[in-house]
Amino acid sequence: MLWEFHNDQLLTTFSLICCFSYIAGWVTDRVIGYGGFSVIGNWLILLIGAYIGLFSYNLLGYRIQWDSHFTIMLTMGAAAAMLLTMLSIKTALRIR
């Protein structure tokens, strides 16, 4: 499970998720423009969504594997779902 990782595995996982979510947040900011939350806001929302996806995956009893494509897809999907949910809320409330 996620909490069974050693320190180097946790650091590697955290750094990979941080880097890729920052890149995705930057790309999202360029695509959406003023409709998003800026680069840092998009990055934080994607980061939170990725970790929520990983923790919910662990709570269902599945193990995270280092070479698992399913885990990568789950993390990216949860991050994208979190960002789309927050963008929908922002649009529904008409927040600028």
Side-chain angles (χ1 to χ4, degrees), residues 72-86:
I72 295 169
M73 289 187 302
L74 175 98
T75 305
M76 290 180 359
M82 179 77 163
L83 182 66
L84 288 175
T85 302
M86 297 306 285

Side-chain angles (χ1 to χ4, degrees), residues 16-29 32 37-54 74-87:
L16 284 173
I17 290 174
C18 279
C19 289
F20 286 122
S21 62
Y22 184 79
I23 293 168
W26 180 78
V27 169
T28 303
D29 187 59
I32 294 176
F37 297 100
S38 78
V39 176
I40 301 298
N42 291 338
W43 169 65
L44 288 174
I45 291 172
L46 286 168
L47 185 69
I48 291 168
Y51 273 108
I52 287 174
L54 284 175
L74 175 98
T75 305
M76 290 180 359
M82 179 77 163
L83 182 66
L84 288 175
T85 302
M86 297 306 285
L87 287 172

Side-chain angles (χ1 to χ4, degrees), residues 54-85:
L54 284 175
F55 281 122
S56 63
Y57 184 63
N58 270 339
L59 290 177
L60 290 174
Y62 298 108
R63 291 200 173 271
I64 295 175
Q65 300 173 1
W66 283 98
D67 57 347
S68 174
H69 297 295
F70 181 73
T71 304
I72 295 169
M73 289 187 302
L74 175 98
T75 305
M76 290 180 359
M82 179 77 163
L83 182 66
L84 288 175
T85 302

